[in-house]
Amino acid sequence: MDLFQTNFTSLDWGIVLIYLAGSAVVGLWANKYVGNLSDYLVAGRTLRIRLALASMTGTELGLVTVMYMSQLGFTNQYAALYLGVLEAVALLIVGGTGFVVVKLRQSAVMTIPEYYEKRYSSGVRVLGGTVMVLAGVLNMGLFLKAGSIFVTALTGLSDPQLLKWVMTGMLLLVLFYTVLGGMVSVVITDLIQFFVLGISLLIACGFILGNLELDGLQKIATDQFGYVNPFDSTKPYNSETKEAAFNVLKETDRNGIGFMTLLKDLIVVGAACFLWPTTASRTLSVKNTQVARQLYFWSAIPLLARRAIPVLLGLGAFAYFATNIDLGNEFMQQVQQEKVSTLSAMPLYLAKLIPTGLLGIIAAGMLAAFMSTHDTYLLTWSSVITQDICAPLFGPISQRTRILITRISIVVIGIMLLIWGLWYELSSDLWVYLAITGTIYFAGALPAIVGGLYWKRGTSQAATVSILLGLTGVFALEAPVVWLDAQLHAISLFSENTHLTPDIMTIFTFVLASTGYVITSLLTYKPDQHQTV
Amino acid sequence: MFWLNFWLVVLFISLTTFLLMMIIIGGGAIKELKLTFDDLRADTEEAAEHPEELEREI
């Protein structure tokens, strides 16, 4: 069997096209429900718990999540599930206690930077908004790339030019309905996408479980040397027989997760669950604080599933290539030669496993996931540009002009994504890239928001310092870390066996920003000038 | 074997709860969408009655 053989036919293309056309119609129709700015940005704050949950799931279970979690499932097998457990626990804690989300919803703001102004100053709002947009656009910069890898591997579309046009067309479709209908069309399309994606994921899981059975799931951890304990910093390896999993080819492939990565991800995922603007925008769109808490508590289920189900897809791909070892070796050879990425493992596997027709439904589901994430992200960053950067800088602006600025921002960000997504080459796991770009925003926002809500001594100067120090998170990307590591060795600050890693740099950024916030607050606090909001 | 069993339980919980959630949320969400449309319709009608609001600087 050929590595790139696929069951995807014109019937599957037909299913996909019908689905995409339906989404365009929804965008046109939703436009009639946009009466004012609040309708456009937060659907008039009319969402109730079930609709909010479906919409949040539609957003957070995006194609990019499916891709990076299945990549982790392929490279780290069962141990990759740690990320889902961390997130579920964090959500249960936030939902159970109402930590941050209740006070944020009570503040009646529409965006997080708006809170910065209420609590600190308009300068902090502009700075916080700018950093948020910078980190957010960088973060979603590779979504298009992940989408194109999926489409290529699943459909067997080999013409790179045609592929670019397909991805551009999909982005244009998302731009079209988001520009027109704002949050109203986002919520409606998210609901449709929730059903299409949910059903297609369950179909895929059914096929994988039917293919593997319990015996196959156990063999991954035993006969195929799968990695199960995330606390082990190295993957299973028999030093006597030199046996390891088929995709462990060189020394660095043996690097596992380990304590430092667990700690870093605990901080990043914990902060993301209530600070990531797209999740926060749902909190700010719900009817009241009770719904906000319920939303967090119950979203632990779909958000655990959004990580666990793609890991199962990755596990299926791992087991398939480990069993069909010729194909597995050919695939890993191509990975070594950088002709394909390990991101392709899951779609290549599905293209062989799922029969024609059903493959079209799964492709439509995954493209639904692609669009549902893009629409919310585009709307969130654009509303920040309008509300938190343009409005404070250029004075009072009418609602009509604000809607216009938001629409223009959506188009501009879309063009930036297209350029960035088509030329940036990813050199590490996609999750690592996403966590680092998120840290640029989280590290500064975490002390500024938590401190602002719960500590009356927090000051505007401190919020400014923490947001600026959060920018050092960019040094956790691979190239700057390698450079910094070399510099630290050159001045003999690190011994030969000690190395700076992206994990250490990410944790350092959080510590630096939080420390900066506390120290600056203590230095600049004046009792008569500050109060908590 | 502890970790393998632990992860198999996590996978089982994820799949079954996701399936249940699809069923429970699905029906309710469609009903709520209708209520949301009612709210939004009231909003848009009010906005149509007071077009000057859209031009008011805030």
Side-chain angles (χ1 to χ4, degrees):
Chain A
M1 187 188 283
D2 180 57
L3 180 62
F4 297 100
Q5 185 184 318
T6 174
N7 297 335
F8 203 91
T9 64
S10 45
L11 171 68
D12 301 295
W13 274 117
I15 294 169
V16 169
L17 288 175
I18 289 170
Y19 174 75
L20 295 179
S23 296
V25 172
V26 167
L28 272 174
W29 182 67
N31 188 37
K32 70 175 182 175
Y33 287 106
V34 178
N36 56 36
L37 185 67
S38 167
D39 296 341
Y40 191 77
L41 295 186
V42 288
R45 294 189 201 279
T46 55
L47 300 195
R48 292 156 179 86
I49 182 66
R50 288 189 178 91
L51 186 55
L53 259 176
S55 178
M56 193 161 169
T57 310
T59 300
E60 299 307 321
L61 186 54
L63 177 58
V64 73
T65 313
V66 175
M67 289 293 279
Y68 74 69
M69 285 310 298
S70 63
Q71 181 186 36
L72 289 178
F74 178 75
T75 54
N76 288 331
Q77 298 86 52
Y78 286 104
L81 287 162
Y82 81 95
L83 214 48
V85 173
L86 284 184
E87 186 169 57
V89 171
L91 286 164
L92 288 174
I93 292 172
V94 171
T97 60
F99 182 63
V100 174
V101 292
V102 165
K103 281 179 175 271
L104 258 187
R105 180 63 188 85
Q106 278 171 343
S107 67
V109 294
M110 279 201 265
T111 63
I112 284 185
E114 193 180 337
Y115 170 76
Y116 288 149
E117 181 169 14
K118 232 175 172 177
R119 172 64 175 83
Y120 299 112
S121 67
S122 92
V124 176
R125 180 179 186 174
V126 173
L127 177 68
T130 308
V131 171
M132 183 190 274
V133 172
L134 175 77
V137 175
L138 266 180
N139 187 268
M140 72 183 294
L142 290 188
F143 287 13
L144 209 56
K145 179 143 237 142
S148 68
I149 290 174
F150 176 81
V151 173
T152 316
L154 194 80
T155 62
L157 205 66
S158 53
D159 181 355
Q161 210 57 34
L162 182 60
L163 180 70
K164 283 179 183 174
W165 282 113
V166 169
M167 300 313 295
T168 308
M170 275 171 50
L171 186 65
L172 286 175
L173 179 64
V174 178
L175 288 177
F176 172 74
Y177 73 72
T178 313
V179 164
L180 276 181
M183 186 58 106
V184 181
S185 66
V186 167
V187 168
I188 302 168
T189 49
D190 275 358
L191 183 60
I192 301 167
Q193 286 152 7
F194 167 77
F195 286 120
V196 178
L197 177 64
I199 290 166
S200 63
L201 277 180
L202 289 171
I203 292 173
C205 288
F207 270 92
I208 290 170
L209 291 175
N211 184 244
L212 285 178
E213 298 180 341
L214 189 60
D215 186 45
L217 287 170
Q218 285 173 334
K219 273 186 181 166
I220 292 172
T222 52
D223 300 12
Q224 294 164 358
F225 290 90
Y227 179 37
V228 290
N229 181 358
F231 288 96
D232 274 348
S233 54
T234 51
K235 291 178 186 170
Y237 177 71
N238 188 327
S239 55
E240 285 175 13
T241 59
K242 309 281 182 200
E243 281 183 297
F246 82 97
N247 58 356
V248 173
L249 300 181
K250 53 183 192 294
E251 193 62 27
T252 50
D253 290 341
R254 287 190 57 213
N255 291 341
I257 295 161
F259 176 76
M260 198 56 85
T261 306
L262 283 171
L263 178 64
K264 180 263 295 179
D265 285 337
L266 178 68
I267 299 170
V268 172
V269 169
C273 80
F274 55 81
L275 287 183
W276 192 233
T278 53
T279 1
S281 75
R282 287 298 183 291
T283 314
L284 303 172
S285 303
V286 294
K287 275 194 102 64
N288 52 46
T289 56
Q290 195 192 355
V291 177
R293 282 181 69 169
Q294 286 175 340
L295 177 64
Y296 271 82
F297 192 83
W298 291 111
S299 63
I301 295 170
L303 295 194
L304 171 64
R306 82 163 175 153
R307 296 196 184 274
I309 292 175
V311 168
L312 181 62
L313 306 187
L315 281 170
F318 174 83
Y320 176 81
F321 285 119
T323 311
N324 300 281
I325 195 65
D326 288 344
L327 279 182
N329 289 338
E330 188 188 342
F331 177 71
M332 288 313 296
Q333 231 172 27
Q334 300 228 13
V335 170
Q336 293 272 318
Q337 293 164 3
E338 296 184 358
K339 287 182 181 167
V340 294
S341 152
T342 45
L343 281 167
S344 302
M346 178 271 288
L348 282 173
Y349 165 61
L350 290 185
K352 293 169 183 53
L353 179 76
I354 313 286
T356 302
L358 281 178
L359 202 55
I361 296 175
I362 288 179
M366 295 296 181
L367 295 182
F370 171 88
M371 297 196 302
S372 62
T373 305
H374 267 82
D375 56 18
T376 306
Y377 275 48
L378 284 167
L379 187 65
T380 304
W381 309 135
S382 307
S383 63
V384 170
I385 291 173
T386 308
Q387 299 288 87
D388 307 309
I389 300 174
C390 292
L393 282 179
F394 304 114
I397 305 174
S398 71
Q399 291 196 48
R400 193 185 296 281
T401 312
R402 284 177 193 240
I403 293 175
L404 179 68
I405 296 171
T406 308
R407 285 176 164 157
I408 293 169
S409 304
I410 289 171
V411 175
V412 172
I413 293 175
I415 293 167
M416 285 168 64
L417 291 180
L418 203 56
I419 297 166
W420 181 257
L422 294 179
W423 68 261
Y424 185 88
E425 289 301 328
L426 182 67
S427 54
S428 59
D429 280 347
L430 184 53
W431 164 246
V432 175
Y433 173 85
L434 296 175
I436 292 169
T437 47
T439 297
I440 294 169
Y441 157 69
F442 292 138
L446 187 67
I449 291 176
V450 176
L453 289 169
Y454 293 98
W455 194 39
K456 68 176 181 180
R457 285 171 173 263
T459 65
S460 305
Q461 294 91 330
T464 306
V465 167
S466 72
I467 291 167
L468 288 175
L469 287 175
L471 289 171
T472 54
V474 79
F475 288 106
L477 284 167
E478 202 166 336
V481 161
V482 170
W483 180 81
L484 269 175
D485 186 57
Q487 301 307 311
L488 292 169
H489 279 95
I491 57 171
S492 304
L493 206 65
F494 276 8
S495 66
E496 201 177 321
N497 295 328
T498 314
H499 287 286
L500 186 68
T501 63
D503 291 341
I504 295 173
M505 195 60 213
T506 304
I507 295 169
F508 174 75
T509 306
F510 275 95
V511 173
L512 185 70
S514 298
T515 311
Y517 180 86
V518 173
I519 292 174
T520 314
S521 290
L522 292 173
L523 291 174
T524 56
Y525 176 71
K526 290 174 187 158
D528 53 328
Q529 286 181 6
H530 296 94
Q531 57 172 6
T532 49
V533 174
Chain B
M1 287 304 272
F2 163 77
W3 282 107
L4 174 62
N5 291 330
F6 178 73
W7 296 129
L8 287 176
V9 170
V10 169
L11 280 175
F12 176 75
I13 291 172
S14 302
L15 278 171
T16 46
T17 50
F18 186 71
L19 182 63
L20 278 175
M21 188 201 68
M22 288 277 300
I23 297 165
I24 296 167
I25 291 183
I30 292 169
K31 279 180 199 159
E32 288 184 4
L33 186 62
K34 286 176 187 159
L35 295 172
T36 294
F37 282 152
D38 292 340
D39 293 342
L40 287 169
R41 200 171 291 121
D43 250 16
T44 44
E45 281 166 7
E46 196 183 323
E49 284 169 17
H50 303 283
E52 71 281 0
E53 280 295 305
L54 268 179
E55 306 301 339
R56 192 168 57 87
E57 293 186 334
I58 48 173

